Amino acid sequence: MNRKKIEPDVRLLESDLMALTTDFLLSHGLNVPQAHSLARILVAAQRDGSWSHGLQRLPGTLDTMSHPRFNKQADPAPESVSAAAVRIDAQYGFSCLAAERGIEALVEKTKQIGIGLLAVKNGFHSTALWPLIERIAEAGLVGLSMNPTHAWVAPAGGTKGLLGTNPLAFAWPRKDKPPYVFDFATSAASRADIAMHRNCGEEIPDNWGVNAQGERTTDPAEVLAGAMLPFGGHKGSAIATLIELMAGPLIGDRTSRLSQDFDQGANAAPCHGELLLAFSPDIIGGADASDDAEAVFAGFSDQGARLPGDRRYRMREVSAREGIAVSSALLDRIRSLVR
Amino acid sequence: MNRKKIEPDVRLLESDLMALTTDFLLSHGLNVPQAHSLARILVAAQRDGSWSHGLQRLPGTLDTMSHPRFNKQADPAPESVSAAAVRIDAQYGFSCLAAERGIEALVEKTKQIGIGLLAVKNGFHSTALWPLIERIAEAGLVGLSMNPTHAWVAPAGGTKGLLGTNPLAFAWPRKDKPPYVFDFATSAASRADIAMHRNCGEEIPDNWGVNAQGERTTDPAEVLAGAMLPFGGHKGSAIATLIELMAGPLIGDRTSRLSQDFDQGANAAPCHGELLLAFSPDIIGGADASDDAEAVFAGFSDQGARLPGDRRYRMREVSAREGIAVSSALLDRIRSLVR
């Protein structure tokens, strides 16, 4: 990926991008529910101005769908584990369809007993977390989502890949406003960002990763061949480890290392589990949750601090008004790959 | 607090420290269950080599117990909210007794349905989180614990105190080994550490906080009068905000700002809620949790990276063998304050 190739220069209607993305996926044999689910997430990311998690991911889905274990006909259904827990097996298809279907069951349980857990298993995962976690907040609930990836990240004090880039997303519902949502990798930078620096011939900050000898380097190619570093030193490393354990062994799915082994050189999206949690402020806390939370958010704007998600919501407004910005070179490439 | 005054120079039996700490608290009118609970936590912190969270906290409990709302006779009892959630009101006593009693109910629910939530409300909180979260792991469960404090920390991009130092603790059970446990403030440094630098006339790194004008400074006194900063830039700030919302409004208790208002100059320990979560790997994930998690931990030692908690466990072994290290000056001060 090169920054120029995905920088947007035209605007399209959301419905046209949905049609193109769905056509692309269906033409490669993906079943209808998976194609619609993945298209929704990729177009939502593009709409919100995340070029790295938007349509740029589409050509790479061909590698993922070529993985010997990939299941183009996956049609997952949630299974109740207990009054609080739901499990859904993505059946080696894209994990977003399983997550989407599981979230409905998760919301139902959480509205009954105040807290719920959703374990999504065996999904090829290549999407941003915020488009789906927003749905939990739209149901009036607090949501948390996390997953391992591949063992690209060294723990603090280490020199070799062990942990995933392990993203964490959080959503808090707000009245008459889009939810407070953050979604980020617990690595210092995303792997896509490091690759983009390499492709543009740019140096990276020296706290993003180490070379194969375990020494810090500003050369992105060396970091991609060596190991990435977690954000925030030993504290960020501990949080990445929490995600590794909670969205891996806790739900009986692959760690980042096992997910990488499973890839066997296919260069597919990582295949692993995802953990989602939901909480009902109404049941757990009672009346005051909303006002007190709004006072925290007001404390950000009072001092000119940006709330995570603000940029996404601004981009979303512009997209609704003017169409979704996308790179014409990328569109050409996608069109040429429709079978 | 001055570093010299708490640096240990003698070793005492655990039973003698427990007796002294309990005597101190009882002599100031605290009821027996609170005195025993708080003594256990403070002595455990001292045993594990955390001078900042050990007996050094004892003289300050006098300020806390002098708060007009402090309840020396608090005798909290857990209340079931749902099949998954427990609430316990600390009744304006020290929160550790409520947390201790609530954890028993939390473990019971989690062993039934795989996940549980404990909301501890209205507790004066001055202790480390790890001694209690270890109990969740000792029951074979995964534990998470978090709480707001006072509005000392500016969000990333901000200049004024809004968020608490908001500690986060996590425990993962291990077979035949002490659990994997981390416990840290989501501020770049702890308030106690900044105060210690001031008292020793030392500078601090320039990413620990800002002065009253919102500018970064290496002067600890200026940071204490200004605002602390979160660890890890905007990602750490987002996690501190998650804790502010989850252990505040979600459970219907005070944000860090409301907790600070509640203090009204008493200089008591912050009074607020605490959120604990527990998860059963057996119920949620099935068989392989333990082996896969051990492979992650082995990945740390293979590359010489330190697991969080290792130092604490080493200190604990030495304490068991040779007695608990403590400062004789601190002991003298405590003895002089027994009524």
Side-chain angles (χ1 to χ4, degrees), chain A residues 3-336:
Chain A
R3 199 172 285 128
K4 268 192 204 126
K5 287 204 186 117
I6 60 165
E7 239 165 49
D9 52 359
V10 292
R11 286 188 180 272
L12 268 78
L13 288 177
E14 183 164 348
S15 53
D16 290 342
L17 279 185
M18 274 299 292
L20 173 63
T21 307
T22 310
D23 283 353
F24 174 95
L25 293 167
L26 293 175
S27 82
H28 289 280
L30 197 66
N31 65 358
V32 171
Q34 287 194 79
H36 281 164
S37 172
L38 184 55
R40 274 192 295 271
I41 309 279
L42 295 180
V43 171
Q46 190 76 28
R47 172 200 69 193
D48 290 358
S50 170
W51 321 139
S52 64
H53 286 74
L55 297 192
Q56 181 268 132
R57 299 260 160 147
L58 208 44
T61 61
L62 299 183
D63 289 332
T64 300
M65 291 192 281
S66 299
H67 188 288
R69 293 292 298 278
F70 189 87
N71 178 3
K72 292 181 178 177
Q73 304 312 319
D75 194 14
E79 162 200 0
S80 178
V81 176
S82 76
V86 189
R87 190 186 296 134
I88 186 163
D89 194 316
Q91 302 173 344
Y92 298 99
F94 288 111
S95 62
C96 52
L97 175 62
E100 237 179 332
R101 290 179 172 176
I103 282 173
E104 289 174 34
L106 173 70
V107 164
E108 214 170 285
K109 283 190 191 286
T110 306
K111 288 198 164 174
Q112 293 293 322
I113 58 169
I115 175 169
L117 177 149
L118 168 63
V120 180
K121 296 190 62 167
N122 302 314
F124 285 86
H125 194 292
S126 66
T127 53
L129 300 176
W130 85 86
L132 284 184
I133 205 174
E134 280 187 7
R135 305 230 186 133
I136 299 175
E138 282 158 12
L141 304 174
V142 178
L144 255 176
S145 174
M146 61 189 83
N147 60 260
T149 60
H150 276 180
W152 291 311
V153 180
T159 55
K160 290 187 179 69
L162 171 67
L163 308 170
T165 51
N166 297 5
L168 176 69
F170 175 74
W172 181 275
R174 302 180 69 182
K175 267 190 215 129
D176 310 319
K177 276 188 183 147
Y180 168 90
V181 175
F182 71 71
D183 175 2
F184 54 73
T186 52
S187 46
S190 73
R191 197 154 181 91
D193 205 4
I194 298 176
M196 210 177 311
H197 278 77
R198 179 197 55 195
N199 299 347
C200 298
E202 295 167 356
E203 289 202 333
I204 54 174
D206 82 341
N207 62 351
W208 285 15
V210 294
N211 62 20
Q213 288 74 47
E215 297 148 350
R216 293 201 174 205
T217 173
T218 59
D219 181 339
E222 285 195 358
V223 168
L224 293 172
M228 299 163 69
L229 287 174
F231 91 98
H234 74 278
K235 295 183 181 182
S237 173
I239 289 170
T241 308
L242 175 160
I243 295 169
E244 191 72 32
L245 295 167
M246 297 261 294
L250 173 64
I251 64 168
D253 210 318
R254 293 169 193 77
T255 60
S256 294
R257 189 166 272 175
L258 292 174
S259 174
Q260 196 154 21
D261 293 347
F262 183 82
D263 187 59
Q264 300 193 310
N267 201 23
C271 181
H272 50 67
E274 181 182 355
L275 173 67
L276 292 102
L277 300 173
F279 306 87
S280 164
D282 292 347
I283 294 175
I284 299 168
D288 299 330
S290 181
D291 290 351
D292 287 352
E294 288 305 319
V296 173
F297 301 135
F300 274 74
S301 45
D302 287 351
Q303 56 182 299
R306 197 175 65 82
L307 275 182
D310 274 359
R311 179 181 171 280
R312 280 201 298 276
Y313 293 130
R314 276 201 313 275
M315 299 295 277
R316 192 178 299 184
E317 277 177 26
V318 176
S319 296
R321 215 166 43 231
E322 303 174 14
I324 296 176
V326 59
S327 142
S328 52
L330 177 62
L331 283 177
D332 288 346
R333 178 146 182 249
I334 292 169
R335 284 183 187 123
S336 76

Side-chain angles (χ1 to χ4, degrees), chain B residues 21-87:
Chain B
T21 307
T22 310
D23 284 354
F24 173 95
L25 293 167
L26 292 175
S27 82
H28 289 280
L30 196 66
N31 64 359
V32 172
Q34 287 193 79
H36 280 165
S37 172
L38 184 57
R40 274 191 295 270
I41 310 278
L42 296 180
V43 171
Q46 189 77 25
R47 172 200 70 192
D48 289 357
S50 170
W51 320 140
S52 64
H53 286 74
L55 296 192
Q56 180 268 130
R57 299 262 159 143
L58 209 45
T61 61
L62 298 183
D63 289 331
T64 299
M65 290 192 282
S66 297
H67 188 289
R69 293 291 297 278
F70 189 87
N71 178 3
K72 293 180 178 177
Q73 304 312 319
D75 195 10
E79 164 199 359
S80 178
V81 175
S82 76
V86 189
R87 190 186 295 134

Side-chain angles (χ1 to χ4, degrees), chain B residues 3 34 57 79 87 101 116 128 153 162 178 197 272 274 287:
Chain B
R3 198 172 285 128
Q34 287 193 79
R57 299 262 159 143
E79 164 199 359
R87 190 186 295 134
R101 290 179 172 176
V153 180
L162 170 68
H197 277 79
H272 50 68
E274 182 182 354

Side-chain angles (χ1 to χ4, degrees), chain B residues 146-225:
Chain B
M146 60 189 85
N147 60 259
T149 61
H150 277 179
W152 292 310
V153 180
T159 55
K160 290 186 179 68
L162 170 68
L163 308 169
T165 51
N166 296 6
L168 176 70
F170 175 73
W172 181 275
R174 302 181 69 182
K175 269 190 212 127
D176 309 319
K177 277 188 183 145
Y180 168 91
V181 176
F182 70 71
D183 176 1
F184 53 72
T186 51
S187 46
S190 73
R191 197 155 182 90
D193 205 3
I194 298 176
M196 210 177 310
H197 277 79
R198 179 196 55 194
N199 298 347
C200 297
E202 295 167 355
E203 289 203 332
I204 54 173
D206 82 341
N207 63 351
W208 284 14
V210 294
N211 63 20
Q213 289 73 46
E215 297 147 349
R216 292 200 175 206
T217 173
T218 59
D219 181 339
E222 284 196 359
V223 168
L224 293 173

Side-chain angles (χ1 to χ4, degrees), chain B residues 8-13 47 51 315 318-320 322-326:
Chain B
D9 53 357
V10 291
R11 286 188 180 271
L12 268 77
L13 287 178
R47 172 200 70 192
W51 320 140
M315 298 294 277
V318 176
S319 295
E322 303 174 13
I324 297 176
V326 59

